[in-house]
């Protein structure tokens, strides 16, 4: 959800290829490395024990050597615009220590030159940063900071689909595991610009609030203005206020951009890190969650600046047309979704929906009213079941998209009875009462925000949840159904986890008759239904965010090694 810059580990550049001899003639020089082995970095002092010993032994060489930078020339600091979330001034950027991440400093071999006698100098004691981190193997909360860049986020204002859910749960899980985590998103203009959660480990930074005050209809209202501001201001904030202090503490920084809105920002972050000579100490990733607006991305530049990832093998294959080969790192679900469902309440809901008919099927579908979700296929299947003598009660929850009108008109045309159910932020008890009082219908259209506890109750009580998308980058709904021991009817695109009639039912066509046939098969063989419910729960336990983060840290170990970063 690839290529990244292959850089050396430490920030200082290697010693010059040659040096002038002192008054005594030739001098002992560090062994020269080949040009291919030297990272492309700005010249600074070497900082190695061998160089320090050589400087102590030959003061005349140190005095005559040209400085790497002129003391009279001020350091170039880019101008920055003020914003509520930017706290550190450019002049206050801490110095970056010349230390590797958890790696011992190894002195290069000395080449003995005839005619010169250099007394052995005692190696200096290595200087460690104040907040020295304990030596550990691999990525850990002690040596790594995460930064997530995204338009969507945890605010209601910032949530438009699955992306907001992904970044919210991902960053909360990272913080819960002990990682210092920053989420920079286009947030609610009425909320604080900076907010800390998860015992201070998660720092929410709401960006572009000064623009959002004029665009109150959600994160994508005024999209182009917000995008311009995000690209212009976020990269500098990331370097000055997050990366530089972290590197001063000897830490690795992992920066992950989400979807097309952050592609340019990730590239600019990479450019800024190169300018300041700290790019090797950061791992940059860009994750693709959808196929939206991919034509606006400079793929050559993005593939050079960051490692491209995506959320499924299906999406990996879809990105091949852009001449990139991303890593696949799946989405996850919160571990709290594995909590057992109250089976007595689930049975109560099942009885309510059957309306006294034990043969009546209870179906559930939730998602945006988008043609990719195959709502019309689901409505057609309900009509075919009804007119073939199999009564159905289907509970649906869509969005505000225009396709919803087409879906409901199609249901009316097919002769299905639709009951709208309205409420204002109901509790689970309220939802149960509303369904009991709704009366007879074929389709119950929920027109309110449904609490997650009631959604999970529907997953468990329904004979099937139709998550039958024709194009699904990953398929979080299918995993949520499995976690509640429900039966998920998924598509066959991004749902890599689904094995038909083992842990789910994977639909391979857009034919409504496929839904009908599989539902009746499950009714005839209840042992198949029980097996799918049990296996689905096991599958969901393997896709919690904690498991996904283990997957991610394994990939980060590979990317760190590719950049020359070692941890032990």
């Amino acid at each position: 959800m690839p290529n990244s810059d292959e850089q050396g580990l430490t920030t200082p550049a290697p010693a010059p290829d040659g040096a002038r001899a002192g008054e005594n003639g030739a001098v002992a020089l560090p062994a020269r490395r080949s040009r291919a082995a030297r990272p492309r970095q700005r010249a600074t002092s070497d900082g190695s024990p061998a160089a320090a010993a050589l400087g102590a032994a030959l003061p005349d060489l140190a005095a005559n050597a040209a400085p790497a930078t002129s003391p009279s020339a001020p350091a170039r600091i880019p101008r920055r615009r003020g914003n509520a979330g930017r706290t550190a001034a450019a002049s206050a950027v801490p110095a970056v220590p010349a230390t590797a991440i958890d790696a011992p400093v190894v002195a290069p071999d000395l080449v003995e030159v005839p005619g010169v006698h250099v007394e052995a100098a005692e190696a200096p004691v290595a200087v460690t940063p104040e907040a020295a981190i304990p030596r550990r193997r691999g990525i850990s909360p002690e040596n790594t900071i995460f930064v997530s860049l995204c338009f969507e986020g945890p605010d209601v204002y910032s949530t438009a689909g699955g992306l907001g859910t992904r970044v919210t749960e991902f960053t909360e899980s990272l913080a819960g595991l002990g990682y210092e985590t920053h989420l920079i998103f286009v947030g609610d203009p009425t909320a604080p610009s900076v907010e800390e959660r998860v015992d201070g480990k998660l720092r929410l930074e709401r960006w572009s609030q000064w623009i959002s005050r004029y665009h109150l209809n959600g994160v994508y209202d005024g999209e182009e203005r917000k995008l311009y501001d995000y690209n212009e201001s976020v990269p500098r904030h990331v370097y000055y206020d997050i990366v530089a202090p972290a590197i001063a503490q000897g830490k690795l920084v992992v920066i992950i951009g989400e979807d097309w809105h952050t592609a340019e920002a990730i590239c600019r972050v990479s450019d800024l890190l190169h300018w300041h000579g700290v790019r090797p100490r950061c791992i940059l990733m860009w994750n693709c969650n959808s196929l939206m607006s991919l034509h606006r991305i400079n793929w050559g530049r993005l593939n050079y600046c960051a490692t491209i990832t995506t959320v499924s093998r299906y999406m990996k294959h879809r990105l091949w047309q852009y001449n990139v080969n991303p890593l696949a790192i799946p989405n996850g679900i919160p571990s709290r979704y594995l909590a057992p469902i109250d089976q007595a309440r689930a049975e109560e809901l099942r009885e309510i929906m059957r309306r006294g008919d034990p043969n009546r099927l209870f179906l559930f579908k939730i998602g945006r009213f988008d043609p990719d979700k195959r709502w019309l296929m689901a409505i057609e299947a309900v009509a075919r079941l009804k007119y073939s003598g199999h009564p159905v009660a289907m509970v649906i929850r869509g969005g505000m998209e225009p396709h919803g009108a087409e879906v409901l008109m199609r249901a009316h045309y097919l002769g299905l009875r639709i009951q709208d159910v309205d409420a204002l932020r109901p509790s689970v008890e309220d939802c149960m009462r509303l369904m009991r009082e709704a009366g007879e219908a074929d389709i119950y259209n929920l027109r309110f925000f449904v609490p997650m506890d009631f959604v999970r109750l529907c997953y468990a009580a329904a004979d099937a949840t139709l998550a039958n998308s024709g194009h699904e980058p990953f398929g979080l709904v299918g995993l949520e159904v499995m976690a509640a021991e429900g039966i998920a009817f998924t598509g066959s695109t991004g749902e890599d986890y689904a094995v038909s009639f083992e842990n789910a039912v994977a639909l391979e066509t857009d034919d409504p008759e496929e839904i009908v046939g599989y539902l009746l098969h499950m009714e005839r063989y209840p042992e198949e239904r029980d097996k799918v419910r049990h296996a689905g729960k096991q599958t969901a336990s393997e896709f919690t965010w904690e498991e996904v983060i283990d997957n991610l840290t394994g990939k980060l170990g590979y990317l760190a090694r590719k950049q020359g970063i070692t941890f032990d």
Side-chain angles (χ1 to χ4, degrees):
M1 240 151 0
N3 292 321
S4 61
D5 299 300
E6 298 185 13
Q7 301 290 338
L9 168 62
T10 55
T11 53
D17 292 342
R20 291 184 299 170
E23 296 179 359
N24 294 329
V27 297
L29 298 174
R32 177 176 178 177
R33 292 186 291 172
S34 67
R35 177 175 291 275
R38 298 198 302 268
R40 296 183 301 167
Q41 295 168 340
R42 300 172 63 188
T44 60
S45 61
D46 188 293
S48 67
L54 181 59
L58 299 174
D60 58 323
L61 177 61
N64 293 331
T69 57
S70 172
S72 61
R76 178 181 176 185
I77 299 176
R79 296 170 61 190
R80 305 169 61 221
R81 298 179 181 178
N83 194 69
R86 305 168 212 177
T87 55
S91 60
V93 176
V96 178
T99 56
I101 299 172
D102 287 338
V105 178
V106 181
D109 297 332
L110 293 179
V111 179
E112 186 174 346
V113 180
V116 177
H117 175 69
V118 181
E119 295 184 359
E122 189 173 323
V125 178
V127 178
T128 57
E130 279 185 22
I133 58 177
R135 290 175 58 105
R136 291 189 53 170
R137 295 177 181 270
I139 303 290
S140 70
E142 291 79 10
N143 62 22
T144 305
I145 290 176
F146 282 87
V147 180
S148 178
L149 308 182
C150 189
F151 248 47
E152 295 190 31
D155 297 347
V156 174
Y157 177 91
S158 309
T159 302
L163 178 59
T165 301
R166 167 191 158 80
V167 296
T168 299
E169 294 171 349
F170 172 53
T171 53
E172 286 180 353
S173 299
L174 280 170
L177 292 173
Y179 291 96
E180 180 184 331
T181 307
H182 300 255
L183 172 56
I184 304 173
F185 67 104
V186 178
D188 186 339
T190 64
S193 59
V194 177
E195 180 183 347
E196 291 188 351
R197 297 183 181 178
V198 194
D199 298 327
K201 289 293 184 180
L202 175 59
R203 183 181 176 90
L204 304 180
E205 302 185 45
R206 296 179 173 92
W207 218 255
S208 302
Q209 287 181 298
W210 68 279
I211 298 176
S212 298
R213 289 190 181 96
Y214 300 96
H215 300 278
L216 301 177
N217 293 324
V219 61
Y220 296 117
D221 187 16
E223 180 178 14
E224 294 298 329
R225 294 181 180 182
K226 294 172 181 175
L227 180 61
Y228 178 83
D229 181 65
Y230 200 94
N231 289 335
E232 289 292 317
S233 55
V234 166
R236 295 173 185 242
H237 167 65
V238 169
Y239 171 71
Y240 286 108
D241 299 334
I242 303 175
V243 173
I247 292 179
Q249 298 174 34
K251 295 187 177 182
L252 175 71
V253 183
V254 178
I255 306 169
I256 305 175
E258 300 282 352
D259 262 21
W260 75 270
H261 293 94
T262 63
E264 175 64 20
I266 281 289
C267 292
R268 295 190 186 189
V269 168
S270 176
D271 293 345
L272 196 58
L273 297 179
H274 270 298
W275 174 263
H276 289 278
V278 295
R279 177 61 182 84
R281 300 297 295 274
C282 302
I283 295 178
L284 269 60
M285 307 172 75
W286 179 83
N287 187 57
C288 185
N289 296 277
S290 73
L291 300 177
M292 222 174 268
S293 295
L294 298 187
H295 64 281
R296 299 185 61 168
I297 295 176
N298 183 337
W299 288 98
R301 182 183 182 209
L302 179 62
N303 198 31
Y304 177 81
C305 292
T307 296
I308 297 176
T309 66
T310 191
V311 291
S312 64
R313 289 192 292 271
Y314 162 73
M315 285 293 290
K316 175 187 178 80
H317 298 160
R318 291 297 300 267
L319 292 185
W320 282 353
Q321 62 182 296
Y322 299 100
N323 295 319
V324 296
N325 190 25
L327 298 177
I329 302 174
N331 276 327
I333 58 173
S335 55
R336 65 180 181 273
Y337 285 2
L338 296 175
I341 298 292
D342 186 339
Q343 293 300 320
R345 298 296 298 277
E347 185 59 33
E348 180 185 355
L349 178 60
R350 192 178 295 117
E351 290 301 319
I352 291 173
M353 301 313 301
R354 285 176 175 168
R355 307 291 177 187
D357 184 353
N359 295 319
R360 194 174 195 184
L361 294 171
F362 172 23
L363 304 181
F364 183 56
K365 184 171 176 63
I366 186 170
R368 290 178 294 110
F369 278 129
D370 187 299
D372 281 341
K373 304 299 182 184
R374 285 180 173 168
W375 281 92
L376 295 178
M377 177 185 178
I379 295 297
E380 291 275 357
V382 171
R384 295 189 186 196
L385 284 164
K386 176 180 178 178
Y387 296 122
S388 63
H390 302 281
V392 179
M394 183 178 182
V395 176
I396 66 172
R397 168 58 178 151
M400 300 176 62
E401 297 78 15
H403 183 59
E406 183 182 356
V407 171
L408 296 177
M409 286 181 64
R410 181 63 177 169
H412 278 294
Y413 176 79
L414 293 172
L416 299 176
R417 291 175 296 171
I418 301 174
Q419 178 64 53
D420 291 335
V421 182
D422 296 293
L424 182 63
R425 296 282 177 175
S427 65
V428 174
E429 289 295 336
D430 293 333
C431 291
M432 297 286 284
R433 177 180 52 80
L434 289 167
M435 300 312 299
R436 186 179 294 109
E437 297 173 354
E440 288 280 346
D442 300 310
I443 295 177
Y444 298 86
N445 180 27
L446 306 185
R447 303 199 303 180
F448 55 85
F449 179 81
V450 185
M452 192 62 198
D453 287 343
F454 185 70
V455 171
R456 297 189 68 234
L457 201 60
C458 289
Y459 290 157
D463 293 292
T465 297
L466 302 184
N468 56 312
S469 299
H471 160 71
E472 187 62 65
F474 179 74
L476 274 176
V477 172
L479 274 182
E480 292 172 0
V481 175
M482 293 178 178
E485 290 192 86
I487 297 177
F489 277 44
T490 71
S492 295
T493 51
E495 299 92 342
D496 296 339
Y497 53 81
V499 181
S500 200
F501 295 104
E502 290 294 331
N503 58 11
V505 176
L507 303 171
E508 301 189 44
T509 71
D510 60 356
D511 183 1
E513 199 64 41
E514 190 177 10
I515 295 177
V516 173
Y518 293 160
L519 274 171
L520 297 181
H521 172 80
M522 301 285 276
E523 285 299 302
R524 285 192 296 267
Y525 299 98
E527 65 276 7
E528 286 277 333
R529 183 176 55 212
D530 295 339
K531 180 185 72 172
V532 168
R533 289 184 185 275
H534 177 73
K537 178 87 169 184
Q538 178 61 38
T539 299
S541 68
E542 298 170 0
F543 282 87
T544 62
W545 274 114
E546 289 75 15
E547 296 292 333
V548 171
I549 290 171
D550 278 346
N551 183 326
L552 171 63
T553 55
K555 300 286 175 62
L556 289 175
Y558 150 66
L559 296 176
R561 182 176 179 82
K562 188 175 179 181
Q563 289 187 196
I565 299 172
T566 57
F567 294 93
D568 57 293

